[in-house]
Amino acid sequence: MVLASIFQAGVSIQFYIVLSSILFAIGVTGVLIRRNAIILLMCIELMLNAVNLLMVAFSTYLGKADAQIFVFFIMVVAAAEATVGLSIIVMAYRNIRSTDVGIFNKLKG
Amino acid sequence: MSLATIAIILGGLTVASALMVIITKHPVHSVLYLILTFFMISSNYVLMNAQFLAVVNIIVYAGAIMVLFLFVLMLLNLSKSTEPQSSLLIKVAGVIAGGILLTVVVAALKDGVTIAEVNEVETDGQGLVQNLGKLLFTKYVLPFEMSSVLFIASIVGAVLLGKREKQIID
Protein backbone atom coordinates (compact mmCIF):
# COMPACT_ATOMS: atom_id res chain seq x y z
CA MET A 1 0.00 0.00 0.00
CA VAL A 2 1.40 3.37 -0.96
CA LEU A 3 0.33 6.36 1.07
CA ALA A 4 0.65 9.92 -0.15
CA SER A 5 3.52 11.75 1.48
CA ILE A 6 2.36 14.05 4.25
CA PHE A 7 4.84 16.73 3.27
CA GLN A 8 3.48 16.90 -0.26
CA ALA A 9 -0.02 17.35 1.16
CA GLY A 10 0.70 20.81 2.57
CA VAL A 11 2.09 20.06 6.05
CA SER A 12 5.39 21.87 6.59
CA ILE A 13 8.35 20.50 8.53
CA GLN A 14 7.93 23.43 10.94
CA PHE A 15 4.68 21.87 12.16
CA TYR A 16 6.55 18.81 13.41
CA ILE A 17 9.41 20.93 14.84
CA VAL A 18 6.89 22.87 16.93
CA LEU A 19 4.94 19.72 17.88
CA SER A 20 7.98 17.85 19.15
CA SER A 21 9.30 20.97 20.92
CA ILE A 22 5.99 21.22 22.78
CA LEU A 23 6.16 17.54 23.73
CA PHE A 24 9.75 17.93 24.93
CA ALA A 25 8.84 21.02 26.99
CA ILE A 26 5.92 19.13 28.55
CA GLY A 27 8.34 16.37 29.55
CA VAL A 28 10.77 18.86 31.10
CA THR A 29 7.93 20.58 32.96
CA GLY A 30 6.75 17.24 34.28
CA VAL A 31 10.22 16.43 35.62
CA LEU A 32 10.28 19.82 37.35
CA ILE A 33 6.82 19.82 38.96
CA ARG A 34 6.21 16.17 39.88
CA ARG A 35 7.83 14.48 42.88
CA ASN A 36 6.96 10.84 42.32
CA ALA A 37 10.10 9.13 40.95
CA ILE A 38 8.07 6.81 38.69
CA ILE A 39 6.32 9.79 37.07
CA LEU A 40 9.74 11.37 36.51
CA LEU A 41 10.85 8.27 34.56
CA MET A 42 7.64 8.51 32.53
CA CYS A 43 8.36 12.14 31.69
CA ILE A 44 11.83 11.09 30.49
CA GLU A 45 10.13 8.57 28.18
CA LEU A 46 7.95 11.41 26.91
CA MET A 47 11.04 13.50 26.10
CA LEU A 48 12.65 10.56 24.27
CA ASN A 49 9.48 10.16 22.22
CA ALA A 50 9.48 13.85 21.30
CA VAL A 51 12.98 13.38 19.86
CA ASN A 52 11.87 10.22 18.05
CA LEU A 53 8.98 12.10 16.45
CA LEU A 54 11.30 14.83 15.15
CA MET A 55 13.77 12.27 13.78
CA VAL A 56 11.04 10.41 11.92
CA ALA A 57 9.72 13.71 10.53
CA PHE A 58 13.14 14.68 9.16
CA SER A 59 13.71 11.12 7.91
CA THR A 60 10.56 11.31 5.83
CA TYR A 61 11.21 14.90 4.78
CA LEU A 62 14.72 14.21 3.48
CA GLY A 63 13.90 10.75 2.13
CA LYS A 64 16.62 8.96 4.11
CA ALA A 65 15.71 5.92 6.20
CA ASP A 66 18.83 6.06 8.42
CA ALA A 67 17.15 8.21 11.07
CA GLN A 68 14.47 5.56 11.55
CA ILE A 69 17.20 3.07 12.50
CA PHE A 70 18.37 5.51 15.14
CA VAL A 71 14.82 5.83 16.46
CA PHE A 72 14.87 2.04 16.78
CA PHE A 73 18.08 2.25 18.86
CA ILE A 74 16.59 5.01 21.04
CA MET A 75 13.69 2.64 21.80
CA VAL A 76 16.20 -0.10 22.73
CA VAL A 77 18.05 2.22 25.10
CA ALA A 78 14.76 3.49 26.57
CA ALA A 79 13.63 -0.06 27.33
CA ALA A 80 16.94 -0.88 29.06
CA GLU A 81 16.83 2.39 30.98
CA ALA A 82 13.25 1.82 32.16
CA THR A 83 13.99 -1.66 33.53
CA VAL A 84 17.08 -0.59 35.47
CA GLY A 85 15.49 2.68 36.66
CA LEU A 86 12.34 0.95 37.89
CA SER A 87 14.31 -1.72 39.75
CA ILE A 88 16.35 1.01 41.46
CA ILE A 89 13.10 2.73 42.48
CA VAL A 90 11.63 -0.54 43.81
CA MET A 91 14.81 -1.12 45.85
CA ALA A 92 14.70 2.41 47.25
CA TYR A 93 11.00 1.96 48.10
CA ARG A 94 11.85 -1.14 50.15
CA ASN A 95 14.24 0.91 52.26
CA ILE A 96 12.42 4.22 52.75
CA ARG A 97 8.79 3.23 52.00
CA SER A 98 8.30 6.09 49.56
CA THR A 99 8.96 7.09 45.95
CA ASP A 100 9.16 10.80 46.79
CA VAL A 101 12.29 12.30 45.23
CA GLY A 102 12.31 14.85 48.06
CA ILE A 103 13.14 12.04 50.50
CA PHE A 104 15.79 10.58 48.22
CA ASN A 105 18.22 13.32 49.31
CA LYS A 106 18.89 11.14 52.35
CA LEU A 107 21.04 9.12 49.97
CA LYS A 108 23.81 11.71 50.07
CA GLY A 109 26.65 10.63 52.29
CA MET B 1 -10.87 15.64 5.08
CA SER B 2 -7.41 16.51 3.86
CA LEU B 3 -4.20 14.99 5.15
CA ALA B 4 -3.13 18.34 6.64
CA THR B 5 -6.31 18.56 8.74
CA ILE B 6 -5.76 15.03 10.05
CA ALA B 7 -2.15 15.90 10.95
CA ILE B 8 -3.24 19.00 12.90
CA ILE B 9 -5.99 17.11 14.77
CA LEU B 10 -3.59 14.27 15.68
CA GLY B 11 -0.95 16.77 16.79
CA GLY B 12 -3.47 18.53 19.03
CA LEU B 13 -4.59 15.24 20.56
CA THR B 14 -0.94 14.26 21.17
CA VAL B 15 -0.23 17.50 23.03
CA ALA B 16 -3.48 17.27 25.00
CA SER B 17 -2.84 13.72 26.22
CA ALA B 18 0.79 14.57 27.04
CA LEU B 19 -0.42 17.52 29.12
CA MET B 20 -2.84 15.26 30.98
CA VAL B 21 0.12 13.01 31.95
CA ILE B 22 1.64 15.76 34.06
CA ILE B 23 -1.63 17.41 35.18
CA THR B 24 -3.52 14.43 36.56
CA LYS B 25 -2.86 13.58 40.21
CA HIS B 26 -3.37 9.83 40.21
CA PRO B 27 -0.20 7.92 39.10
CA VAL B 28 -2.20 5.16 37.35
CA HIS B 29 -4.09 7.79 35.33
CA SER B 30 -0.73 9.28 34.34
CA VAL B 31 0.39 5.90 32.97
CA LEU B 32 -2.87 5.45 31.03
CA TYR B 33 -2.61 8.93 29.51
CA LEU B 34 1.02 8.21 28.56
CA ILE B 35 -0.13 5.05 26.75
CA LEU B 36 -2.67 7.21 24.89
CA THR B 37 0.13 9.64 24.00
CA PHE B 38 2.21 6.79 22.57
CA PHE B 39 -0.74 5.66 20.43
CA MET B 40 -1.11 9.23 19.14
CA ILE B 41 2.61 9.40 18.33
CA SER B 42 2.29 6.08 16.50
CA SER B 43 -0.52 7.52 14.40
CA ASN B 44 1.79 10.41 13.53
CA TYR B 45 4.38 7.85 12.40
CA VAL B 46 1.81 6.23 10.13
CA LEU B 47 1.06 9.64 8.60
CA MET B 48 4.78 10.07 7.92
CA ASN B 49 5.15 6.70 6.12
CA ALA B 50 7.05 5.07 9.00
CA GLN B 51 4.79 2.06 9.36
CA PHE B 52 7.38 -0.28 10.91
CA LEU B 53 8.23 2.22 13.65
CA ALA B 54 4.53 2.81 14.33
CA VAL B 55 4.01 -0.88 15.05
CA VAL B 56 7.25 -1.20 17.04
CA ASN B 57 6.32 1.90 19.06
CA ILE B 58 3.01 0.33 20.10
CA ILE B 59 4.55 -3.09 20.85
CA VAL B 60 7.61 -1.84 22.76
CA TYR B 61 6.31 1.29 24.47
CA ALA B 62 2.59 0.78 24.98
CA GLY B 63 2.89 -2.99 25.25
CA ALA B 64 6.06 -3.60 27.23
CA ILE B 65 7.47 -0.52 28.94
CA MET B 66 4.19 0.99 30.12
CA VAL B 67 2.94 -2.38 31.39
CA LEU B 68 6.17 -2.55 33.40
CA PHE B 69 5.43 0.91 34.83
CA LEU B 70 1.85 -0.13 35.62
CA PHE B 71 3.05 -3.31 37.37
CA VAL B 72 5.51 -1.36 39.51
CA LEU B 73 2.84 1.21 40.45
CA MET B 74 0.45 -1.55 41.50
CA LEU B 75 3.22 -3.50 43.25
CA LEU B 76 4.12 -0.48 45.36
CA ASN B 77 0.38 0.23 45.86
CA LEU B 78 0.70 3.93 45.09
CA SER B 79 -2.51 5.93 44.92
CA LYS B 80 -3.72 9.50 44.99
CA SER B 81 -3.48 9.72 48.79
CA THR B 82 0.20 8.68 48.88
CA GLU B 83 1.16 10.85 45.91
CA PRO B 84 3.72 13.46 47.07
CA GLN B 85 2.75 17.00 46.06
CA SER B 86 5.10 19.84 45.21
CA SER B 87 4.47 23.25 46.71
CA LEU B 88 2.70 25.85 44.57
CA LEU B 89 5.91 27.86 44.23
CA ILE B 90 7.78 24.90 42.70
CA LYS B 91 4.87 24.19 40.35
CA VAL B 92 4.72 27.78 39.10
CA ALA B 93 8.52 27.92 38.73
CA GLY B 94 8.53 24.60 36.84
CA VAL B 95 5.82 25.70 34.43
CA ILE B 96 7.61 29.01 33.80
CA ALA B 97 10.92 27.21 33.19
CA GLY B 98 9.28 24.76 30.79
CA GLY B 99 7.54 27.61 28.97
CA ILE B 100 10.80 29.51 28.61
CA LEU B 101 12.51 26.37 27.23
CA LEU B 102 9.68 25.94 24.72
CA THR B 103 9.90 29.59 23.64
CA VAL B 104 13.66 29.43 23.16
CA VAL B 105 13.64 26.13 21.25
CA VAL B 106 10.77 27.13 18.97
CA ALA B 107 12.25 30.58 18.32
CA ALA B 108 15.64 29.07 17.52
CA LEU B 109 14.40 26.27 15.27
CA LYS B 110 11.37 27.74 13.55
CA ASP B 111 13.17 30.08 11.15
CA GLY B 112 16.80 29.88 12.24
CA VAL B 113 17.49 26.53 10.64
CA THR B 114 17.79 26.64 6.90
CA ILE B 115 16.29 23.43 5.64
CA ALA B 116 17.02 22.45 2.09
CA GLU B 117 13.87 22.47 0.03
CA VAL B 118 13.42 18.86 -0.92
CA ASN B 119 11.05 18.11 -3.70
CA GLU B 120 9.97 14.86 -5.25
CA VAL B 121 11.60 12.63 -2.64
CA GLU B 122 10.77 8.98 -3.07
CA THR B 123 9.49 7.91 0.36
CA ASP B 124 7.17 5.10 -0.66
CA GLY B 125 8.08 1.95 1.21
CA GLN B 126 11.05 3.50 2.97
CA GLY B 127 9.55 2.89 6.41
CA LEU B 128 8.60 -0.71 5.74
CA VAL B 129 10.32 -3.76 7.20
CA GLN B 130 12.11 -4.67 3.96
CA ASN B 131 14.00 -1.41 3.61
CA LEU B 132 14.73 -0.93 7.33
CA GLY B 133 15.77 -4.54 7.77
CA LYS B 134 18.27 -4.29 4.92
CA LEU B 135 19.74 -1.14 6.44
CA LEU B 136 19.79 -2.58 9.96
CA PHE B 137 21.65 -5.75 8.99
CA THR B 138 24.18 -4.16 6.64
CA LYS B 139 25.16 -0.60 7.53
CA TYR B 140 24.12 -0.65 11.20
CA VAL B 141 24.85 -4.28 12.10
CA LEU B 142 27.51 -3.37 14.68
CA PRO B 143 25.28 -1.04 16.77
CA PHE B 144 22.55 -3.69 16.49
CA GLU B 145 24.82 -6.32 18.04
CA MET B 146 26.03 -3.85 20.66
CA SER B 147 22.43 -3.22 21.72
CA SER B 148 22.10 -6.92 22.57
CA VAL B 149 25.08 -6.51 24.94
CA LEU B 150 23.27 -3.52 26.47
CA PHE B 151 20.20 -5.68 27.03
CA ILE B 152 22.24 -8.41 28.73
CA ALA B 153 23.73 -5.78 31.03
CA SER B 154 20.32 -4.32 31.87
CA ILE B 155 18.83 -7.78 32.53
CA VAL B 156 21.70 -8.62 34.91
CA GLY B 157 21.35 -5.20 36.57
CA ALA B 158 17.59 -5.55 37.03
CA VAL B 159 17.90 -9.05 38.52
CA LEU B 160 20.69 -7.97 40.85
CA LEU B 161 18.83 -4.86 42.01
CA GLY B 162 15.57 -6.74 42.41
CA LYS B 163 17.04 -9.22 44.88
CA ARG B 164 16.44 -8.77 48.60
CA GLU B 165 19.36 -7.16 50.35
CA LYS B 166 19.84 -10.06 52.77
CA GLN B 167 20.47 -12.43 49.89
CA ILE B 168 23.11 -10.12 48.48
CA ILE B 169 24.90 -9.85 51.83
CA ASP B 170 24.83 -13.57 52.65
Side-chain angles (χ1 to χ4, degrees), chain B residues 100-132:
Chain B
I100 288 173
L101 176 79
L102 175 64
T103 314
V104 170
V105 171
V106 168
L109 291 182
K110 197 161 180 286
D111 303 312
V113 184
T114 47
I115 302 158
E117 276 300 322
V118 184
N119 293 319
E120 302 299 319
V121 173
E122 191 61 46
T123 58
D124 295 334
Q126 111 171 341
L128 295 179
V129 182
Q130 187 186 17
N131 185 26
L132 288 182

Side-chain angles (χ1 to χ4, degrees), chain A residues 9-50:
Chain A
V11 180
S12 65
I13 188 73
Q14 269 84 9
F15 172 72
Y16 282 105
I17 292 177
V18 172
L19 178 61
S20 55
S21 302
I22 292 172
L23 284 180
F24 192 86
I26 289 173
V28 171
T29 311
V31 169
L32 290 175
I33 67 173
R34 299 301 293 264
R35 291 180 64 184
N36 190 342
I38 298 173
I39 308 283
L40 296 196
L41 267 183
M42 280 164 50
C43 289
I44 291 171
E45 301 290 332
L46 193 59
M47 285 190 269
L48 287 170
N49 264 278

Side-chain angles (χ1 to χ4, degrees), chain A residues 1-95 97-103, chain B residues 3-4 7-8 11-12 14-15 18-19 21-27 30-31 34 37-38 41 44-53 56-57 60-61 65-66 68-69 72-73 75-78 83-87 90-95 97-99 101-102 105-106 109-111 113 115-124 126-128 131-132 135-136 139-140 143-144 147 150-151 153-154 157-158 161-165:
Chain A
M1 186 178 68
V2 175
L3 291 171
S5 173
I6 182 100
F7 293 111
Q8 281 152 14
V11 180
S12 65
I13 188 73
Q14 269 84 9
F15 172 72
Y16 282 105
I17 292 177
V18 172
L19 178 61
S20 55
S21 302
I22 292 172
L23 284 180
F24 192 86
I26 289 173
V28 171
T29 311
V31 169
L32 290 175
I33 67 173
R34 299 301 293 264
R35 291 180 64 184
N36 190 342
I38 298 173
I39 308 283
L40 296 196
L41 267 183
M42 280 164 50
C43 289
I44 291 171
E45 301 290 332
L46 193 59
M47 285 190 269
L48 287 170
N49 264 278
V51 176
N52 283 354
L53 185 64
L54 192 63
M55 278 174 91
V56 171
F58 270 106
S59 163
T60 307
Y61 186 72
L62 298 174
K64 299 236 186 332
D66 296 44
Q68 298 191 16
I69 302 289
F70 281 96
V71 170
F72 187 70
F73 286 129
I74 291 176
M75 285 179 187
V76 167
V77 173
E81 170 240 316
T83 47
V84 175
L86 280 174
S87 51
I88 289 175
I89 289 172
V90 169
M91 200 177 68
Y93 182 82
R94 283 201 194 121
N95 289 322
R97 289 283 143 200
S98 170
T99 55
D100 187 351
V101 285
I103 304 177
Chain B
L3 220 52
I8 289 168
T14 313
V15 171
L19 267 179
V21 173
I22 63 170
I23 288 174
T24 184
K25 296 269 188 288
H26 202 295
S30 278
V31 173
L34 195 58
T37 311
F38 288 151
I41 288 175
N44 276 311
Y45 289 168
V46 172
L47 271 187
M48 287 188 281
N49 277 348
Q51 293 91 346
F52 172 69
L53 280 181
V56 167
N57 197 44
V60 172
Y61 269 113
I65 297 182
M66 295 324 290
L68 191 66
F69 275 91
V72 169
L73 276 178
L75 183 75
L76 303 187
N77 206 8
L78 298 179
E83 175 75 3
Q85 292 295 325
S86 305
S87 64
I90 291 181
K91 276 182 183 166
V92 171
V95 170
L101 176 79
L102 175 64
V105 171
V106 168
L109 291 182
K110 197 161 180 286
D111 303 312
V113 184
I115 302 158
E117 276 300 322
V118 184
N119 293 319
E120 302 299 319
V121 173
E122 191 61 46
T123 58
D124 295 334
Q126 111 171 341
L128 295 179
N131 185 26
L132 288 182
L135 206 55
L136 189 62
K139 195 175 173 185
Y140 295 103
F144 179 71
S147 67
L150 178 73
F151 265 127
S154 76
L161 288 169
K163 273 186 167 184
R164 299 250 170 217
E165 261 183 55

